[in-house]
Amino acid sequence: MTTQPRTGVTPSLRPDLARIASWIEPKSRALDLGCGDGALLAYLRDVRQVQGAGVEIDDHHVIECVRRGVQVIQQNLEDGLALFDDKQFETVVLSQTLQSMHRTEHILREMARVSRYGIVSFPNFGYWPHGWSILRGRMPVTGQMPYAWYNTPNIHLCTLRDFEDLARSLNLRILERATFNEDREVRVLPSWRSTLAVYRFAAP
């Protein structure tokens, strides 16, 4: 686990990350899987006094985490969370990474094992322009899913209902949901109108 003193700069957050942060109890323990540059963890530390740690594979992102003073472990999430004990954290976050995992059920079970609560976010494949694109014979390319079919890291795309069915099959109790289209929260017809879904669930 690598860390250096914090920079003292409080990061601003995207709306979806701000919602995730609001769901994490102050002064609790949190783990951010695929934590990127550590912006969420730095915010949680500085604003909500959360004891946080991250897991990240990308070298450049790990360096950014260190610069922010965020505790980070460099590891491939496909290897699981064996480094962590049962219920070691109050909350585990997997932000915009679920769709790129090969072992989707495994990572969700591991999140439930090491924490009381889990938070996941993912692109909503049910967004209505995606269906229109497929009707025109093309795989969708949007701001939330900007890759072509041959170079996309997104291997397990799903809709809101798909994820809710999976959560139910794993005995994960969904507590809260928020949906977004770019920087705007979507409250009407979210299954069709949102590009990103964020869920908070309780472990069995």
Side-chain angles (χ1 to χ4, degrees):
M1 189 173 289
T2 307
T3 184
Q4 287 183 355
R6 71 187 65 178
T7 62
V9 177
T10 300
S12 58
L13 294 178
R14 301 189 315 257
D16 58 303
L17 291 182
R19 177 56 58 88
I20 289 171
S22 75
W23 287 345
I24 298 176
E25 288 295 322
K27 300 181 180 179
S28 64
R29 293 165 298 170
L31 178 66
D32 189 358
L33 304 176
C35 63
D37 62 7
L40 175 61
L41 286 169
Y43 179 92
L44 290 170
R45 176 198 65 207
D46 297 341
V47 176
R48 299 180 73 80
Q49 293 77 53
V50 168
Q51 298 178 36
V55 178
E56 177 57 52
I57 189 65
D58 182 85
D59 290 339
H60 297 293
H61 284 156
V62 169
I63 291 170
E64 286 301 312
C65 286
V66 172
R67 287 176 177 164
R68 293 179 187 270
V70 167
Q71 291 185 341
V72 60
I73 298 170
Q74 189 166 25
Q75 180 182 321
N76 190 335
L77 290 177
E78 298 289 359
D79 296 333
L81 305 180
L83 289 173
F84 305 106
D85 296 329
D86 293 358
K87 299 299 180 279
Q88 184 172 343
F89 302 92
E90 272 74 47
T91 303
V92 175
V93 177
L94 186 70
S95 174
Q96 299 196 44
T97 304
L98 185 68
Q99 72 279 0
S100 64
M101 299 293 299
H102 286 84
R103 304 169 66 194
T104 306
E105 292 174 282
H106 177 69
I107 194 63
L108 289 172
R109 287 193 179 101
E110 281 288 270
M111 290 174 68
R113 178 184 66 81
V114 304
S115 69
R116 295 173 57 208
Y117 303 103
I119 299 175
V120 297
S121 66
F122 53 86
N124 173 28
F125 196 66
Y127 180 48
W128 73 266
H130 294 168
W132 178 243
S133 181
I134 290 171
L135 284 174
R136 291 187 291 117
R138 298 286 186 180
M139 284 295 290
V141 177
T142 62
Q144 200 68 54
M145 298 195 310
Y147 303 95
W149 66 269
Y150 54 85
N151 66 1
T152 179
N154 300 323
I155 58 175
H156 287 147
L157 297 169
C158 69
T159 66
L160 276 60
R161 183 173 294 179
D162 287 332
F163 176 78
E164 291 167 7
D165 288 345
L166 175 59
R168 190 177 303 111
S169 74
L170 297 175
N171 295 318
L172 306 177
R173 183 165 55 92
I174 293 174
L175 303 174
E176 300 181 81
R177 183 185 76 184
T179 53
F180 297 87
N181 188 319
E182 302 299 334
D183 291 338
R184 295 176 289 105
E185 186 166 358
V186 175
R187 299 182 185 277
V188 178
L189 299 176
S191 294
W192 290 357
R193 298 178 59 240
S194 66
T195 59
L196 181 73
V198 189
Y199 284 85
R200 178 175 179 257
F201 61 82

mmCIF file of all heavy atoms in Angstrom, residues 118-155:
data_model
loop_
_atom_site.group_PDB
_atom_site.id
_atom_site.type_symbol
_atom_site.label_atom_id
_atom_site.label_comp_id
_atom_site.label_asym_id
_atom_site.label_seq_id
_atom_site.Cartn_x
_atom_site.Cartn_y
_atom_site.Cartn_z
ATOM 1 N N GLY A 118 -22.280 -1.890 -0.696
ATOM 2 C CA GLY A 118 -21.571 -1.729 -1.953
ATOM 3 C C GLY A 118 -22.222 -0.646 -2.794
ATOM 4 O O GLY A 118 -23.441 -0.421 -2.698
ATOM 5 N N ILE A 119 -21.403 0.032 -3.584
ATOM 6 C CA ILE A 119 -21.910 1.028 -4.538
ATOM 7 C C ILE A 119 -21.298 0.721 -5.897
ATOM 8 O O ILE A 119 -20.071 0.598 -6.010
ATOM 9 C CB ILE A 119 -21.546 2.460 -4.111
ATOM 10 C CG1 ILE A 119 -22.171 2.797 -2.747
ATOM 11 C CG2 ILE A 119 -22.014 3.464 -5.167
ATOM 12 C CD1 ILE A 119 -21.754 4.154 -2.196
ATOM 13 N N VAL A 120 -22.131 0.587 -6.900
ATOM 14 C CA VAL A 120 -21.645 0.344 -8.258
ATOM 15 C C VAL A 120 -22.281 1.348 -9.209
ATOM 16 O O VAL A 120 -23.408 1.800 -9.001
ATOM 17 C CB VAL A 120 -21.952 -1.095 -8.744
ATOM 18 C CG1 VAL A 120 -21.243 -2.127 -7.882
ATOM 19 C CG2 VAL A 120 -23.444 -1.363 -8.769
ATOM 20 N N SER A 121 -21.539 1.706 -10.247
ATOM 21 C CA SER A 121 -22.105 2.505 -11.333
ATOM 22 C C SER A 121 -21.654 1.910 -12.653
ATOM 23 O O SER A 121 -20.579 1.306 -12.741
ATOM 24 C CB SER A 121 -21.685 3.974 -11.222
ATOM 25 O OG SER A 121 -20.293 4.131 -11.419
ATOM 26 N N PHE A 122 -22.488 2.085 -13.674
ATOM 27 C CA PHE A 122 -22.194 1.485 -14.980
ATOM 28 C C PHE A 122 -23.003 2.209 -16.061
ATOM 29 O O PHE A 122 -24.058 2.800 -15.770
ATOM 30 C CB PHE A 122 -22.543 -0.013 -14.984
ATOM 31 C CG PHE A 122 -23.952 -0.319 -14.547
ATOM 32 C CD1 PHE A 122 -25.001 -0.299 -15.450
ATOM 33 C CD2 PHE A 122 -24.235 -0.595 -13.216
ATOM 34 C CE1 PHE A 122 -26.303 -0.570 -15.060
ATOM 35 C CE2 PHE A 122 -25.537 -0.870 -12.799
ATOM 36 C CZ PHE A 122 -26.560 -0.852 -13.720
ATOM 37 N N PRO A 123 -22.546 2.160 -17.316
ATOM 38 C CA PRO A 123 -23.333 2.743 -18.412
ATOM 39 C C PRO A 123 -24.636 1.978 -18.591
ATOM 40 O O PRO A 123 -24.657 0.742 -18.494
ATOM 41 C CB PRO A 123 -22.421 2.578 -19.642
ATOM 42 C CG PRO A 123 -21.060 2.313 -19.094
ATOM 43 C CD PRO A 123 -21.253 1.622 -17.786
ATOM 44 N N ASN A 124 -25.707 2.702 -18.844
ATOM 45 C CA ASN A 124 -27.012 2.094 -19.058
ATOM 46 C C ASN A 124 -27.184 1.776 -20.546
ATOM 47 O O ASN A 124 -27.370 2.680 -21.367
ATOM 48 C CB ASN A 124 -28.112 3.048 -18.585
ATOM 49 C CG ASN A 124 -29.496 2.547 -18.946
ATOM 50 O OD1 ASN A 124 -29.722 1.343 -19.059
ATOM 51 N ND2 ASN A 124 -30.427 3.468 -19.137
ATOM 52 N N PHE A 125 -27.144 0.492 -20.878
ATOM 53 C CA PHE A 125 -27.288 0.100 -22.277
ATOM 54 C C PHE A 125 -28.726 0.279 -22.765
ATOM 55 O O PHE A 125 -28.987 0.239 -23.966
ATOM 56 C CB PHE A 125 -26.849 -1.349 -22.468
ATOM 57 C CG PHE A 125 -26.589 -1.719 -23.900
ATOM 58 C CD1 PHE A 125 -25.538 -1.140 -24.592
ATOM 59 C CD2 PHE A 125 -27.386 -2.641 -24.553
ATOM 60 C CE1 PHE A 125 -25.289 -1.466 -25.916
ATOM 61 C CE2 PHE A 125 -27.141 -2.978 -25.874
ATOM 62 C CZ PHE A 125 -26.091 -2.391 -26.558
ATOM 63 N N GLY A 126 -29.656 0.506 -21.829
ATOM 64 C CA GLY A 126 -31.041 0.731 -22.217
ATOM 65 C C GLY A 126 -31.336 2.152 -22.679
ATOM 66 O O GLY A 126 -32.470 2.443 -23.064
ATOM 67 N N TYR A 127 -30.342 3.037 -22.647
ATOM 68 C CA TYR A 127 -30.518 4.415 -23.119
ATOM 69 C C TYR A 127 -31.071 4.394 -24.539
ATOM 70 O O TYR A 127 -30.525 3.720 -25.420
ATOM 71 C CB TYR A 127 -29.168 5.115 -23.055
ATOM 72 C CG TYR A 127 -29.141 6.554 -23.497
ATOM 73 C CD1 TYR A 127 -30.074 7.480 -23.052
ATOM 74 C CD2 TYR A 127 -28.125 7.003 -24.347
ATOM 75 C CE1 TYR A 127 -30.019 8.805 -23.442
ATOM 76 C CE2 TYR A 127 -28.052 8.331 -24.743
ATOM 77 C CZ TYR A 127 -29.004 9.225 -24.295
ATOM 78 O OH TYR A 127 -28.944 10.543 -24.685
ATOM 79 N N TRP A 128 -32.162 5.136 -24.797
ATOM 80 C CA TRP A 128 -32.930 4.949 -26.026
ATOM 81 C C TRP A 128 -32.128 5.129 -27.314
ATOM 82 O O TRP A 128 -32.365 4.386 -28.293
ATOM 83 C CB TRP A 128 -34.189 5.820 -26.027
ATOM 84 C CG TRP A 128 -33.955 7.284 -26.234
ATOM 85 C CD1 TRP A 128 -33.813 8.232 -25.280
ATOM 86 C CD2 TRP A 128 -33.838 7.955 -27.491
ATOM 87 N NE1 TRP A 128 -33.600 9.462 -25.850
ATOM 88 C CE2 TRP A 128 -33.622 9.325 -27.206
ATOM 89 C CE3 TRP A 128 -33.901 7.544 -28.825
ATOM 90 C CZ2 TRP A 128 -33.452 10.274 -28.196
ATOM 91 C CZ3 TRP A 128 -33.732 8.489 -29.825
ATOM 92 C CH2 TRP A 128 -33.519 9.834 -29.509
ATOM 93 N N PRO A 129 -31.155 6.070 -27.422
ATOM 94 C CA PRO A 129 -30.406 6.158 -28.682
ATOM 95 C C PRO A 129 -29.596 4.896 -29.007
ATOM 96 O O PRO A 129 -29.282 4.653 -30.177
ATOM 97 C CB PRO A 129 -29.481 7.362 -28.455
ATOM 98 C CG PRO A 129 -30.186 8.194 -27.445
ATOM 99 C CD PRO A 129 -30.803 7.187 -26.517
ATOM 100 N N HIS A 130 -29.266 4.098 -27.975
ATOM 101 C CA HIS A 130 -28.558 2.857 -28.264
ATOM 102 C C HIS A 130 -29.427 1.927 -29.106
ATOM 103 O O HIS A 130 -28.950 1.316 -30.067
ATOM 104 C CB HIS A 130 -28.179 2.151 -26.953
ATOM 105 C CG HIS A 130 -27.182 2.909 -26.132
ATOM 106 N ND1 HIS A 130 -26.893 2.579 -24.834
ATOM 107 C CD2 HIS A 130 -26.414 3.990 -26.420
ATOM 108 C CE1 HIS A 130 -25.983 3.414 -24.348
ATOM 109 N NE2 HIS A 130 -25.687 4.286 -25.305
ATOM 110 N N GLY A 131 -30.705 1.814 -28.722
ATOM 111 C CA GLY A 131 -31.614 0.971 -29.499
ATOM 112 C C GLY A 131 -31.784 1.480 -30.921
ATOM 113 O O GLY A 131 -31.834 0.691 -31.875
ATOM 114 N N TRP A 132 -31.860 2.801 -31.067
ATOM 115 C CA TRP A 132 -31.994 3.389 -32.403
ATOM 116 C C TRP A 132 -30.767 3.082 -33.248
ATOM 117 O O TRP A 132 -30.873 2.769 -34.440
ATOM 118 C CB TRP A 132 -32.213 4.882 -32.278
ATOM 119 C CG TRP A 132 -32.332 5.624 -33.570
ATOM 120 C CD1 TRP A 132 -31.509 6.588 -34.041
ATOM 121 C CD2 TRP A 132 -33.345 5.441 -34.561
ATOM 122 N NE1 TRP A 132 -31.935 7.039 -35.259
ATOM 123 C CE2 TRP A 132 -33.062 6.351 -35.605
ATOM 124 C CE3 TRP A 132 -34.469 4.608 -34.662
ATOM 125 C CZ2 TRP A 132 -33.861 6.440 -36.745
ATOM 126 C CZ3 TRP A 132 -35.265 4.704 -35.806
ATOM 127 C CH2 TRP A 132 -34.949 5.610 -36.827
ATOM 128 N N SER A 133 -29.596 3.154 -32.636
ATOM 129 C CA SER A 133 -28.366 2.854 -33.354
ATOM 130 C C SER A 133 -28.346 1.408 -33.825
ATOM 131 O O SER A 133 -27.962 1.116 -34.972
ATOM 132 C CB SER A 133 -27.155 3.130 -32.453
ATOM 133 O OG SER A 133 -25.944 2.869 -33.120
ATOM 134 N N ILE A 134 -28.781 0.493 -32.960
ATOM 135 C CA ILE A 134 -28.807 -0.928 -33.336
ATOM 136 C C ILE A 134 -29.805 -1.168 -34.454
ATOM 137 O O ILE A 134 -29.551 -1.950 -35.386
ATOM 138 C CB ILE A 134 -29.127 -1.785 -32.095
ATOM 139 C CG1 ILE A 134 -27.931 -1.752 -31.128
ATOM 140 C CG2 ILE A 134 -29.445 -3.229 -32.487
ATOM 141 C CD1 ILE A 134 -28.202 -2.372 -29.783
ATOM 142 N N LEU A 135 -30.964 -0.486 -34.409
ATOM 143 C CA LEU A 135 -31.946 -0.616 -35.487
ATOM 144 C C LEU A 135 -31.372 -0.159 -36.824
ATOM 145 O O LEU A 135 -31.770 -0.657 -37.884
ATOM 146 C CB LEU A 135 -33.197 0.187 -35.151
ATOM 147 C CG LEU A 135 -34.138 -0.421 -34.101
ATOM 148 C CD1 LEU A 135 -35.250 0.568 -33.769
ATOM 149 C CD2 LEU A 135 -34.726 -1.741 -34.594
ATOM 150 N N ARG A 136 -30.414 0.779 -36.773
ATOM 151 C CA ARG A 136 -29.766 1.254 -37.996
ATOM 152 C C ARG A 136 -28.578 0.381 -38.392
ATOM 153 O O ARG A 136 -27.878 0.687 -39.345
ATOM 154 C CB ARG A 136 -29.324 2.703 -37.827
ATOM 155 C CG ARG A 136 -30.491 3.686 -37.738
ATOM 156 C CD ARG A 136 -30.028 5.135 -37.744
ATOM 157 N NE ARG A 136 -29.327 5.477 -36.507
ATOM 158 C CZ ARG A 136 -28.057 5.853 -36.439
ATOM 159 N NH1 ARG A 136 -27.321 5.930 -37.539
ATOM 160 N NH2 ARG A 136 -27.507 6.160 -35.284
ATOM 161 N N GLY A 137 -28.378 -0.703 -37.632
ATOM 162 C CA GLY A 137 -27.336 -1.655 -37.991
ATOM 163 C C GLY A 137 -25.966 -1.345 -37.429
ATOM 164 O O GLY A 137 -24.967 -1.902 -37.896
ATOM 165 N N ARG A 138 -25.898 -0.455 -36.430
ATOM 166 C CA ARG A 138 -24.609 -0.057 -35.866
ATOM 167 C C ARG A 138 -24.594 -0.249 -34.358
ATOM 168 O O ARG A 138 -25.595 -0.016 -33.677
ATOM 169 C CB ARG A 138 -24.324 1.429 -36.157
ATOM 170 C CG ARG A 138 -24.229 1.766 -37.632
ATOM 171 C CD ARG A 138 -22.933 1.274 -38.217
ATOM 172 N NE ARG A 138 -22.776 1.707 -39.597
ATOM 173 C CZ ARG A 138 -21.717 1.405 -40.346
ATOM 174 N NH1 ARG A 138 -20.724 0.697 -39.817
ATOM 175 N NH2 ARG A 138 -21.647 1.812 -41.589
ATOM 176 N N MET A 139 -23.459 -0.667 -33.812
ATOM 177 C CA MET A 139 -23.284 -0.660 -32.376
ATOM 178 C C MET A 139 -23.228 0.793 -31.900
ATOM 179 O O MET A 139 -22.624 1.646 -32.564
ATOM 180 C CB MET A 139 -22.009 -1.391 -31.976
ATOM 181 C CG MET A 139 -22.131 -2.908 -32.047
ATOM 182 S SD MET A 139 -23.336 -3.556 -30.849
ATOM 183 C CE MET A 139 -22.482 -3.259 -29.294
ATOM 184 N N PRO A 140 -23.850 1.085 -30.761
ATOM 185 C CA PRO A 140 -23.902 2.483 -30.300
ATOM 186 C C PRO A 140 -22.544 3.001 -29.858
ATOM 187 O O PRO A 140 -21.752 2.288 -29.249
ATOM 188 C CB PRO A 140 -24.872 2.420 -29.116
ATOM 189 C CG PRO A 140 -24.862 1.008 -28.665
ATOM 190 C CD PRO A 140 -24.614 0.184 -29.892
ATOM 191 N N VAL A 141 -22.296 4.268 -30.174
ATOM 192 C CA VAL A 141 -21.115 4.999 -29.693
ATOM 193 C C VAL A 141 -21.633 6.320 -29.139
ATOM 194 O O VAL A 141 -22.188 7.134 -29.874
ATOM 195 C CB VAL A 141 -20.092 5.253 -30.817
ATOM 196 C CG1 VAL A 141 -18.926 6.081 -30.289
ATOM 197 C CG2 VAL A 141 -19.595 3.941 -31.396
ATOM 198 N N THR A 142 -21.493 6.508 -27.824
ATOM 199 C CA THR A 142 -22.007 7.711 -27.168
ATOM 200 C C THR A 142 -20.947 8.262 -26.221
ATOM 201 O O THR A 142 -19.874 7.673 -26.058
ATOM 202 C CB THR A 142 -23.286 7.393 -26.364
ATOM 203 O OG1 THR A 142 -22.967 6.455 -25.329
ATOM 204 C CG2 THR A 142 -24.367 6.800 -27.253
ATOM 205 N N GLY A 143 -21.277 9.367 -25.569
ATOM 206 C CA GLY A 143 -20.345 9.959 -24.625
ATOM 207 C C GLY A 143 -20.010 9.032 -23.467
ATOM 208 O O GLY A 143 -18.882 9.005 -22.980
ATOM 209 N N GLN A 144 -21.013 8.259 -23.012
ATOM 210 C CA GLN A 144 -20.775 7.327 -21.914
ATOM 211 C C GLN A 144 -20.096 6.051 -22.392
ATOM 212 O O GLN A 144 -19.392 5.386 -21.618
ATOM 213 C CB GLN A 144 -22.106 6.971 -21.236
ATOM 214 C CG GLN A 144 -21.969 6.421 -19.841
ATOM 215 C CD GLN A 144 -21.471 7.472 -18.859
ATOM 216 O OE1 GLN A 144 -22.049 8.544 -18.740
ATOM 217 N NE2 GLN A 144 -20.392 7.166 -18.153
ATOM 218 N N MET A 145 -20.296 5.710 -23.660
ATOM 219 C CA MET A 145 -19.648 4.532 -24.258
ATOM 220 C C MET A 145 -18.981 4.969 -25.562
ATOM 221 O O MET A 145 -19.503 4.739 -26.653
ATOM 222 C CB MET A 145 -20.671 3.422 -24.510
ATOM 223 C CG MET A 145 -21.337 2.914 -23.244
ATOM 224 S SD MET A 145 -22.207 1.356 -23.456
ATOM 225 C CE MET A 145 -23.200 1.675 -24.898
ATOM 226 N N PRO A 146 -17.820 5.610 -25.481
ATOM 227 C CA PRO A 146 -17.235 6.276 -26.646
ATOM 228 C C PRO A 146 -16.407 5.371 -27.556
ATOM 229 O O PRO A 146 -15.781 5.863 -28.494
ATOM 230 C CB PRO A 146 -16.335 7.335 -25.999
ATOM 231 C CG PRO A 146 -15.899 6.710 -24.719
ATOM 232 C CD PRO A 146 -17.072 5.902 -24.244
ATOM 233 N N TYR A 147 -16.392 4.061 -27.300
ATOM 234 C CA TYR A 147 -15.513 3.170 -28.053
ATOM 235 C C TYR A 147 -16.247 2.509 -29.216
ATOM 236 O O TYR A 147 -17.455 2.289 -29.176
ATOM 237 C CB TYR A 147 -14.959 2.073 -27.135
ATOM 238 C CG TYR A 147 -14.210 2.602 -25.940
ATOM 239 C CD1 TYR A 147 -14.852 2.766 -24.712
ATOM 240 C CD2 TYR A 147 -12.866 2.949 -26.033
ATOM 241 C CE1 TYR A 147 -14.175 3.251 -23.608
ATOM 242 C CE2 TYR A 147 -12.179 3.446 -24.926
ATOM 243 C CZ TYR A 147 -12.841 3.592 -23.725
ATOM 244 O OH TYR A 147 -12.168 4.077 -22.632
ATOM 245 N N ALA A 148 -15.474 2.158 -30.253
ATOM 246 C CA ALA A 148 -16.003 1.343 -31.340
ATOM 247 C C ALA A 148 -16.106 -0.103 -30.868
ATOM 248 O O ALA A 148 -15.474 -0.508 -29.887
ATOM 249 C CB ALA A 148 -15.097 1.447 -32.567
ATOM 250 N N TRP A 149 -16.876 -0.904 -31.594
ATOM 251 C CA TRP A 149 -17.138 -2.281 -31.160
ATOM 252 C C TRP A 149 -15.866 -3.114 -31.050
ATOM 253 O O TRP A 149 -15.768 -4.014 -30.225
ATOM 254 C CB TRP A 149 -18.108 -2.957 -32.136
ATOM 255 C CG TRP A 149 -17.528 -3.160 -33.519
ATOM 256 C CD1 TRP A 149 -17.622 -2.294 -34.571
ATOM 257 C CD2 TRP A 149 -16.787 -4.279 -33.984
ATOM 258 N NE1 TRP A 149 -16.968 -2.799 -35.667
ATOM 259 C CE2 TRP A 149 -16.449 -4.029 -35.332
ATOM 260 C CE3 TRP A 149 -16.363 -5.476 -33.406
ATOM 261 C CZ2 TRP A 149 -15.710 -4.929 -36.103
ATOM 262 C CZ3 TRP A 149 -15.635 -6.376 -34.171
ATOM 263 C CH2 TRP A 149 -15.322 -6.095 -35.503
ATOM 264 N N TYR A 150 -14.823 -2.782 -31.841
ATOM 265 C CA TYR A 150 -13.623 -3.619 -31.891
ATOM 266 C C TYR A 150 -12.557 -3.226 -30.873
ATOM 267 O O TYR A 150 -11.593 -3.965 -30.687
ATOM 268 C CB TYR A 150 -13.015 -3.580 -33.306
ATOM 269 C CG TYR A 150 -12.736 -2.190 -33.824
ATOM 270 C CD1 TYR A 150 -11.559 -1.525 -33.512
ATOM 271 C CD2 TYR A 150 -13.672 -1.536 -34.609
ATOM 272 C CE1 TYR A 150 -11.316 -0.239 -33.974
ATOM 273 C CE2 TYR A 150 -13.450 -0.250 -35.078
ATOM 274 C CZ TYR A 150 -12.262 0.390 -34.754
ATOM 275 O OH TYR A 150 -12.028 1.663 -35.201
ATOM 276 N N ASN A 151 -12.707 -2.083 -30.204
ATOM 277 C CA ASN A 151 -11.676 -1.695 -29.230
ATOM 278 C C ASN A 151 -12.261 -1.295 -27.876
ATOM 279 O O ASN A 151 -11.592 -0.672 -27.073
ATOM 280 C CB ASN A 151 -10.804 -0.560 -29.779
ATOM 281 C CG ASN A 151 -11.576 0.747 -29.978
ATOM 282 O OD1 ASN A 151 -12.767 0.824 -29.689
ATOM 283 N ND2 ASN A 151 -10.898 1.761 -30.468
ATOM 284 N N THR A 152 -13.517 -1.686 -27.638
ATOM 285 C CA THR A 152 -14.149 -1.292 -26.386
ATOM 286 C C THR A 152 -13.686 -2.171 -25.225
ATOM 287 O O THR A 152 -13.548 -3.392 -25.381
ATOM 288 C CB THR A 152 -15.685 -1.356 -26.502
ATOM 289 O OG1 THR A 152 -16.252 -0.980 -25.247
ATOM 290 C CG2 THR A 152 -16.156 -2.765 -26.850
ATOM 291 N N PRO A 153 -13.472 -1.573 -24.035
ATOM 292 C CA PRO A 153 -13.208 -2.365 -22.836
ATOM 293 C C PRO A 153 -14.493 -2.873 -22.193
ATOM 294 O O PRO A 153 -14.439 -3.664 -21.242
ATOM 295 C CB PRO A 153 -12.494 -1.368 -21.916
ATOM 296 C CG PRO A 153 -13.082 -0.047 -22.290
ATOM 297 C CD PRO A 153 -13.340 -0.128 -23.774
ATOM 298 N N ASN A 154 -15.640 -2.412 -22.706
ATOM 299 C CA ASN A 154 -16.929 -2.795 -22.121
ATOM 300 C C ASN A 154 -17.366 -4.137 -22.676
ATOM 301 O O ASN A 154 -17.775 -4.245 -23.831
ATOM 302 C CB ASN A 154 -17.987 -1.732 -22.423
ATOM 303 C CG ASN A 154 -17.613 -0.379 -21.863
ATOM 304 O OD1 ASN A 154 -17.042 -0.281 -20.793
ATOM 305 N ND2 ASN A 154 -17.930 0.680 -22.602
ATOM 306 N N ILE A 155 -17.295 -5.161 -21.832
ATOM 307 C CA ILE A 155 -17.586 -6.511 -22.313
ATOM 308 C C ILE A 155 -18.908 -7.055 -21.776
ATOM 309 O O ILE A 155 -19.438 -8.024 -22.320
ATOM 310 C CB ILE A 155 -16.451 -7.490 -21.957
ATOM 311 C CG1 ILE A 155 -16.230 -7.527 -20.439
ATOM 312 C CG2 ILE A 155 -15.165 -7.115 -22.671
ATOM 313 C CD1 ILE A 155 -15.210 -8.558 -19.995
#
